[in-house]
Amino acid sequence: MKFKKYIFLSFALFLTLSLHARQTNWVEVEPGIWKAVIGKPEPYNLLTASGVGPYHEGLTKLKPAEFPLSKNEITAKIIDGKTYLRFPLDRGEQLYGFGLNFKTVNQRGRILELHVDHYNGSDNGRTHSPTPFYVSSKGYGIFINSARYLKVYAGAAVRRDSKNPPVVQDRNTDPDWNPHPYSDGVEILVPAEGVEFYVIGGPTAMNAVQRFNLFNGGGCLPPRWGLGFTQRLERMTDASGVAAEAKAFEDKGYPLDFIGLEPGWQSKSYPNTFEWDAKRFPEPEKLVKEMLHKNIRLNLWINPYVSPDAPIYKKILPYTASHTVWAGLVPDLKTDSARKFLFGTLEKNKIDIGISGYKIDEVDGGDSYLWPDLATFPSGIPAEQMRQTYGLLMQRYTTELYQKRNLRTYGLVRASNAGGVSFPYVIYNDYYNHQDFITALINSGFSGVLWTPEVRASNLPEEWVRRFQSNVFSPMAMINAWASGTKPWTFPEVAPIIKRFALLRMQMMPYWYSEFARYHFEGIPPFRAMNLEPGFQDLVSVKEAKNLNLEENPYAKAITSEIKDQYMAGENLLVAPMFTGQKSRKVILPAGKWFDFYTGKYAGGGEVINITPGLDQIPVYVKDGGIIPMGKPLLHAPKAGEKVDLEIRYYGTKPGEYKLYDDDGETFNYQKGDYSFRTIKVSKVNGKLLGSISKAEKNKPNSVGKITYKMMTL
Amino acid sequence: MKFKKYIFLSFALFLTLSLHARQTNWVEVEPGIWKAVIGKPEPYNLLTASGVGPYHEGLTKLKPAEFPLSKNEITAKIIDGKTYLRFPLDRGEQLYGFGLNFKTVNQRGRILELHVDHYNGSDNGRTHSPTPFYVSSKGYGIFINSARYLKVYAGAAVRRDSKNPPVVQDRNTDPDWNPHPYSDGVEILVPAEGVEFYVIGGPTAMNAVQRFNLFNGGGCLPPRWGLGFTQRLERMTDASGVAAEAKAFEDKGYPLDFIGLEPGWQSKSYPNTFEWDAKRFPEPEKLVKEMLHKNIRLNLWINPYVSPDAPIYKKILPYTASHTVWAGLVPDLKTDSARKFLFGTLEKNKIDIGISGYKIDEVDGGDSYLWPDLATFPSGIPAEQMRQTYGLLMQRYTTELYQKRNLRTYGLVRASNAGGVSFPYVIYNDYYNHQDFITALINSGFSGVLWTPEVRASNLPEEWVRRFQSNVFSPMAMINAWASGTKPWTFPEVAPIIKRFALLRMQMMPYWYSEFARYHFEGIPPFRAMNLEPGFQDLVSVKEAKNLNLEENPYAKAITSEIKDQYMAGENLLVAPMFTGQKSRKVILPAGKWFDFYTGKYAGGGEVINITPGLDQIPVYVKDGGIIPMGKPLLHAPKAGEKVDLEIRYYGTKPGEYKLYDDDGETFNYQKGDYSFRTIKVSKVNGKLLGSISKAEKNKPNSVGKITYKMMTL
């Protein structure tokens, strides 16, 4: 018996040793970013797909970080041809990220399969950008560089040998029996015999997000016009319809920067010819020129599936997948030839004549609207990896078409992933829940993507207003009501409110543009969760510490549930959208003082306020000392070189400082240093405003006209 | 240029050749069942998990079948470490099966990931038995013997090189543009470097189902008592409560064959001790004996997760998974030791003292209530394969405990898979949609499993009646209302109806028992889709042939949609359940003549009838010449050797024949030939009934008492 036991133990020891990987070797590849490799990582991954390197200069400017975890608590093993990763979790630690979720912000306790897909109403990992990156409230991030479908147990799997095991309960008698026992680890299954993965330091969660974004090249910087308004037209609109729409906006005084043409711009669609329909658009070049003359750009809808009637059909055929989508060819974007033909056709008579960008549809899935997982591609890239990266590839290669012309673009896409942070694309979808759109906006900041809570149809004027107001405080102010034909002025009873908010968006352009510059240069997402705001996370952890009486302390109640209906927009603004039917709402104001955006009045701080705004207001609050540089209510974004007068609004009582970004607004010259950050300083001295702005740098673009200062808080 | 092209073509040819598997080698392993092997199949699969061999004798009795497909249209390849299978599809061909679906019967066009899981409201492959077997309306079946998560594109993926390509449409102008283009193949992705798979001949779809079931050992034959009524008790019920419940049923005259004890029979649960609670059940052996004396058996709830307070905890610990479930150990059922300890504890003081069976809960998942996919097991079986087979293994090894005692059991389980056809278990779940329960009953017949549309809580007397009526025409007549405490007599206004149907179930026992014998010996599922009924499929294909005017031909309308609310129960009965709120319904009666089960009156044939039954009736129809052998309205199933008088009911006008099955009803002696099928013949001659039954075989069990004949159709 003893001998037998000895054999068993030896065998167990052998198993243990052979299953455990050798000590993981961590290499600090960028400041505060450590990389480890287990097994034989596949050559094709998210970073090779995007082809974007780190923005090293930005990374070096961040404060140094320590390796944030205990190295020997991170385990990596290869078993049964798959990679098993495990990262430790502390009690009270919260997790954010894992891609563009629509219903939840806190991800601890969740089980996800990260899988590019149309979002279908459940946060299960299937979404437009299932970014394999998460951030901890403890101030670090983890990124798995794999283009496979990853299974994630985010504090949901319990190891038998856990050092922090859950309490064993008896369901027979314990009324508090917990169906989800405590777990002290994040476990990730990578279906490949190796992977590279990254630990990203803080010390704050925001720092980890910044490092992740900068590691992916820094956030995208849209052209100035990209931050104006866009309207998408009925799919069969012709050239005269385009001109009429532009005129209607102009005549009625609503801003418009770019118009989107839906599938009908082509001779055939689903699958696509990628050729202008000769009847509806007999002279596309003339149309584009005329519109550019009015300061309005055109954006074209596409999906990548090639019709037998497309001129490129025969040429691209050998470089396409084994399977078709809507009987159209699926270009293998990892072959030079497929790229040559597909992107060639996107240039010719389109970008060549001034088309400003694309809306790239149906690269996300919905499974039955995509190639199957057992499709094969001539390049040998498996269908699964293609699925996870096709949106990335479409963004990458269309972006390159503009880069070589030294012109920025700003488009729409249905799928992205880690690696795509720097691509100038905004994600959209067919899902249309206003509340969930806001949650997606919050999560976009954890996932290195941009998201538009576009307005489509609305049943009621109230809904139209509420959705429009959120849209104004988002990365792309899009009206995508082509199917219903709704225009900004469709509901006359609320048209003045709509117009006021549309013009507010235009006035705020200096602020939005500066915040996007921070996204690019510092990696700070322009739209993001409250959880990244100082003074917020501390409040949330109160919940963990005490068993609060929620009847007596409604504040505690508010912070025990997820905060997914308010968000930060840029450095200084807290936005708390109203939803149809809502007459009042609670807003959590983090520690410090917060002021009403419209009136400058003190609103509260470190507390939950209950507000009852009218239909004419979306609640927005400004930080103490917050500066919002405002331009003019233009109908189109200023052109390169055009000067715009500034009104510098100052809120609260603390001295404020703001870095105003400036460049030509249209080219990539900023990447060669052709930009400036000018420091605005404002304070209140003896009840009077004292404001200053640093001088414009010589030989740098300068779009600032006359400057006035406005003390909002009296 | 020419040279370059030549090189390209050579390369393409090379790729084509290397990707295509060599000609698949088909071996007829059983009559009408052909097996092929690609790559290196994994040693652990569904058939090795179940450990059940083919019922060869039954298979040889079926008419011979031709290989039903064109062999060179079946392709199998290994790419990127995975197996790619493709089977051809014809126009108009319909597909059924792919496991226990709840909302759909026709599976053509669907994309599924076959994955053991709690059913969550969507037919996406995640279900309690994701059986990788499908049947074609053309009369053949395909079975993939893999315990992996299989991705299935059931006529949903379109190959570029298809011989029957879909029509290319232009969505711009074609109002009939089809988002799901025609596909001429079933494609299956097996995430393993090889697999064995089977083509199963017909010539009818029913024959293919029969072959599949017989290949898996033939359907299970429950003990007679298993077909009676079962009631599950409130989880904290004690021994006196059990006795009181039995007395209440007896006193009120409701049948009861076995009582289920929920988790509280144990000292602790979730995780489990598997030990009787000493307070609630101080003398379990005495209780079981007393109940058996009353002809009532006991069934015990378990899930397999072992509490630290279980006596087997320390012993079983080394043979359990890396991860726990509810802080309980997960026994590795592929180790001898784990089996010894777990099943030892299920025997000791339980089966040993007369416990009749188990209800095996939570082996299906819901993901967060199971081990993660990256758990490891000492046997080396991957977590994924364990997930796909754990329900099978629990069924297998508990069945063996009864087999070695030569006693049949009949239990409940939440997960099964191919291979489990012969295990005497019925699937149940927490989902509770009456309509979907019926669809599951229909699909169970394609999946080699049994399903109970149990009754739990009901808000209204009507609901209670409607659910109860369906329950009576199902594999297990279960009242599982322990949480709500509802009893059969809870709604006094409908109690007489409930009692009548409860007793009808008991009267029909000779019919049910004979139909289960057909399941075992012939592989015919006792509960199954209309699609397997002769004269039904032909009607459905009408739809494909013509573009019918549905206004003028409502019959055509009825058959264009899925038929998922009526089913066949045994050889002769068509059941069309009524749902709460429904006052009337349509019933499709296949070709031939059909007669009302209750009155014997002609109801129709080859047509859609519209009926308005009262609450006191579930519509049931009998085939022309149909014979239903009826016993007595007993309160408990007859014991072995007990004789029961028979009333042989005869419907319609055609001469009828029926094979009445008989054996001891309790042991496995039937497997040694200790059974008989007696032939009943009835016809109508000059308006009078002429009936006969073949003699009872000598030295075979004979439970038939006095026989009377009843002509139902006058």
Side-chain angles (χ1 to χ4, degrees), chain B residues 165-195:
Chain B
V167 177
V168 181
Q169 294 176 288
D170 171 22
R171 195 179 183 182
N172 283 349
T173 54
D174 187 343
D176 296 325
W177 178 82
N178 181 1
H180 299 287
Y182 177 75
S183 158
D184 63 351
V186 174
E187 301 199 54
I188 300 176
L189 185 64
V190 183
E193 285 193 282
V195 74

Side-chain angles (χ1 to χ4, degrees), chain B residues 265-313:
Chain B
W265 70 269
Q266 297 173 102
S267 54
K268 291 188 177 180
S269 76
Y270 287 87
N272 305 295
T273 59
F274 305 103
E275 291 297 314
W276 293 94
D277 184 76
K279 257 196 168 161
R280 291 186 289 277
F281 295 93
E283 295 172 291
E285 186 167 2
K286 186 164 162 258
L287 174 69
V288 172
K289 281 229 171 84
E290 280 171 11
M291 298 305 295
L292 274 174
H293 186 72
K294 290 175 190 281
N295 243 331
I296 293 171
R297 283 160 177 81
L298 295 186
N299 170 292
L300 300 182
W301 174 99
I302 53 163
N303 69 33
Y305 311 116
V306 182
S307 166
D309 293 313
I312 60 168
Y313 182 85

Side-chain angles (χ1 to χ4, degrees), chain B residues 567-636:
Chain B
Y567 58 95
M568 292 301 297
E571 189 177 345
N572 291 324
L573 299 181
L574 186 164
V575 183
M578 298 290 293
F579 304 107
T580 308
Q582 215 178 18
K583 295 292 166 229
S584 67
R585 63 160 290 165
K586 287 196 163 73
V587 181
I588 300 183
L589 299 174
K593 290 179 181 172
W594 294 81
F595 298 86
D596 186 274
F597 173 66
Y598 308 98
T599 64
K601 282 186 188 154
Y602 176 67
E607 67 186 306
V608 180
I609 58 169
N610 217 326
I611 52 167
T612 312
L615 189 60
D616 61 341
Q617 261 197 30
I618 173 174
V620 179
Y621 302 92
V622 190
K623 254 182 225 179
D624 194 5
I627 289 169
I628 311 290
M630 305 279 279
K632 294 282 156 194
L634 303 168
L635 295 191
H636 313 288

